[in-house]
Amino acid sequence: MNTIILIPTNPERNLSNIILGLVHSLERQKKKVYLFEPIFKKIEEKNNDVEKLIKITSKKCIYQRSKKKNVERSEFFEKEKVLEEIIDYYNLIRLKEDIDKIYLIKGNCISNEYHSNMFINYEIMNSISAKIVFIASEDTDYHQSILKYIQFLKISRKNVLGTIFSNVLDYLDEYPKKTFLNFSYKENLNKKHCNSKKRNFEAFSNIKMIKIPWNFNLMSIRSIDISRYLKSNILNRGEIETKRINSILFGTKKLFDHFNNIPEKSLIISSSKDLQTIISTYLSILNERLKISTLLIVDGLDIDRTLYNCLHRLFYNTHLPVLIVEENLFETSVKIQKINPLNLMIQYQDVQKIKKIRNYVSTHLEGSWIKSLFIEEKKSISNFFLECRGENISATMFRYKLIYLAKQKRKTIILPEGETFKMIRAASICKKKGISNCILLGNPKKIKKIADQFEISLKDIEILDPKTIYHRYIDQLVILRKKKGMNQESASNQLKKNNILLATMMLQQDEVDGLVSGIVNTTADTIRPALQLIKTNSISSIISSIFFMLFPKKTLIFGDCAINIDPNSEELSEIAIQSAESAMHFGIIPKIAMISYSTGNSAYGDSVEKVRSAVKIIKRKKPELLVDGPIQYDAAISEEVSKKKFPNSNLSGKATVFIFPNLDTGNAVYKAVQRAANLTSVGPILQGIRKPVNDLSRGASIEDIIYTIAATSIQSR
């Protein structure tokens, strides 16, 4: 299935027209079209042009909208929830066994005052591998907006299918602007200049541009539409149902002094205070064969009955519609400038006109460009996550995948630091979202007090008081630690004081599926009981750790950054193999870079030789794995650097798993990268352990905790 996100460069009203024509063009190519509006403004909630247009003109297009309004000012995790909902909607459609379809997404306007609009579009695009079509208007800076957007977010030109340039006039028509004001339509765009601008834009940006000229006849409104919109009184109906309006002018004395320059089908707005002018120019109006389409009189409250009757007799039995409103000139002008012809067509069900607009736009979109929007798929996709396995899984998709897979398992995770605000909040969110069933270990009164203080729901969340349950595990702890001199008294004392030990015993006894800790306690405090009681699995000799580093366009694995201080060659090879297995478990293709201060044979030393020896062991034990080293970080992550430093490397600068030679290097690099790039990191995730126990940084956010809980659930069997 092909996915396209439509991104407007400014909040112009032609977006609905373009979507209408685009859907029609795709349907004429016998494609099933799904249109999704993920985020919308509050003012659009009651009057959604796109939804109504699709219902009027297409019986086949499936329209779906999210429940999310603008998220510009939301917190980070609010945006993550929006993206998760978007992907959920996307998958509901994508997982259907119907491959000959195109999925259109209505993106947010990138010229909005809130910069997060550009990021939400970008995240959507990356999350579901969408291509971009920009929608621009006659704004002379439209090309700058597009190029800045592409350059700022480093979007590949290959992912931009084109720009639809709408609301363009095909001729130069100069009216004497100094004599009157025309504020309805912009009519001074030079065709040659526009075509030149188009060629320059395409040549400079390498982005295809499609031009849709403005059509007055299609988008003009009728006198009856103006009357309904303003809720006017009708002094004379005339041909009110059929009169079309192309220009809207102020009926000042200067205007009538240049009467011959008034364009066809004009709406003249005049104040009742200028009625003398109106009456005196009536004969001129007749002589010009009613060039004026409609007359609108404002300040209607100032018209007395005698004058009203005089005007009625003056225009009676003519074809000229004459309307009267009570508002003054300024109020009426403001209202008229907000008229959207398309809204009026929708409101009054002018189906034929709407279809003409659709066909007109579609005509300019037909041809090879429309066919270039879709690539035929030879096989159906029955599992969405088959496409999420690879070396470039975006941060958003990886987070979504964690949540999705955790929901499938719905495991029970024990949180021994249950008396902390972050753990309580995380447990509540996990329960509400169906990620896992969390057990809070701690004093129930303290936990409930914190929950009440921060208005956190504890519904259906289990809370265990250590004082009432620790005695259940004394005997088993003595058995497990008897060789280390453990007795009943010491076991009882330790279980009373150490909630992590107690939680680890619950895990050891299979009463829970996993353990997450580290908000208050150190890594050693979290992991030591697991090393003593849970121990390694049947195929591992050591326990190691990894971090998932969530870059915008890809997810990388760093190991070991938390456990092994200075592993030897054998241990380093086992860390790499464990990390490769974890990568595959979470849908990342493992391409292992054994990091060192040397690339290839550029330098020698004990550390380099250790890494080189570890690479040989990995290739002997797991010849199917893609691994290289010793290699420097830049050569492992950059194709350009790899070509210069290590041209024969089988990684080619596309490593996904980075194994560091010792804890000093690994811990320093992971924290430096995380902070410098402002990344989310999930971990440390322990490997090689018989049951999942995972540590948290003491600075972990609530989101970090939730994703770690999700990862722990996925690890459990």
Side-chain angles (χ1 to χ4, degrees), residues 249-500:
L249 313 172
F250 290 121
T252 62
K253 187 177 183 304
K254 288 184 178 180
L255 172 69
F256 290 108
D257 287 343
H258 297 81
F259 192 83
N260 292 333
N261 294 321
I262 294 177
E264 295 284 348
K265 301 179 182 178
S266 295
L267 166 68
I268 305 297
I269 305 176
S270 288
S271 171
S272 62
K273 299 171 185 177
D274 296 324
L275 286 180
Q276 188 64 39
T277 304
I278 297 173
I279 294 171
S280 65
T281 56
Y282 176 63
L283 293 177
S284 298
I285 294 174
L286 288 180
N287 290 337
E288 290 295 324
R289 297 183 181 180
L290 298 178
K291 179 184 285 188
I292 295 176
S293 177
T294 306
L295 178 62
L296 174 62
I297 301 173
V298 299
D299 296 310
L301 290 174
D302 295 336
I303 302 178
D304 59 28
R305 193 66 193 174
T306 302
L307 188 54
Y308 184 92
N309 291 335
C310 177
L311 289 170
H312 181 70
R313 287 193 299 272
L314 180 66
F315 293 105
Y316 181 73
N317 219 17
T318 69
H319 298 294
L320 181 68
V322 181
L323 314 176
I324 299 178
V325 294
E326 295 180 354
E327 291 85 357
N328 61 32
L329 183 62
F330 175 77
E331 293 170 332
T332 305
S333 300
V334 170
K335 279 187 177 180
I336 289 180
Q337 288 186 76
K338 294 180 180 179
I339 289 179
N340 186 333
L342 195 60
N343 281 346
L344 295 176
M345 294 175 204
I346 295 171
Q347 184 177 353
Y348 300 113
Q349 294 291 304
D350 194 345
V351 178
Q352 293 304 316
K353 189 73 175 288
I354 293 172
K355 287 186 176 180
K356 284 182 180 179
I357 294 172
R358 176 199 67 184
N359 295 340
Y360 176 76
V361 175
S362 178
T363 299
H364 288 82
L365 296 176
E366 290 295 345
S368 59
W369 184 75
I370 282 291
K371 293 181 180 179
S372 72
L373 297 182
F374 48 85
I375 302 170
E376 299 296 334
E377 298 181 44
K378 295 183 178 179
K379 57 182 181 180
S380 65
I381 301 171
S382 59
N383 187 344
F384 172 69
F385 285 115
L386 287 176
E387 292 197 350
C388 298
R389 299 184 67 86
E391 58 193 49
N392 292 320
I393 300 177
S394 70
T396 300
M397 184 54 73
F398 185 79
R399 284 190 289 258
Y400 175 81
K401 187 174 183 179
L402 283 181
I403 301 301
Y404 178 88
L405 294 178
K407 284 180 178 180
Q408 308 307 305
K409 290 198 169 187
R410 199 65 179 270
K411 296 293 184 175
T412 299
I413 307 300
I414 184 78
L415 307 177
E417 298 164 327
E419 295 176 6
T420 60
F421 159 72
K422 288 183 178 180
M423 285 296 189
I424 297 170
R425 174 71 78 182
S428 177
I429 293 173
C430 284
K431 183 64 181 180
K432 183 178 179 180
K433 294 173 72 69
I435 297 170
S436 66
N437 299 312
C438 294
I439 297 176
L440 295 171
L441 196 58
N443 187 310
K445 290 183 179 179
K446 288 184 180 180
I447 293 172
K448 289 176 182 177
K449 183 178 179 180
I450 294 171
D452 291 340
Q453 180 183 350
F454 292 98
E455 298 181 348
I456 302 172
S457 173
L458 293 175
K459 184 180 179 181
D460 298 327
I461 295 177
E462 187 176 359
I463 301 173
L464 292 178
D465 189 346
K467 293 180 180 179
T468 63
I469 64 169
Y470 79 91
H471 62 275
R472 303 177 193 169
Y473 307 97
I474 294 174
D475 292 342
Q476 186 62 29
L477 179 59
V478 170
I479 294 172
L480 292 172
R481 300 290 291 164
K482 190 173 183 179
K483 291 182 180 180
K484 299 296 181 178
M486 182 71 71
N487 56 38
Q488 290 280 333
E489 183 179 356
S490 59
S492 177
N493 289 335
Q494 289 187 33
L495 287 168
K496 281 182 185 178
K497 297 177 182 179
N498 190 338
N499 281 2
I500 296 178

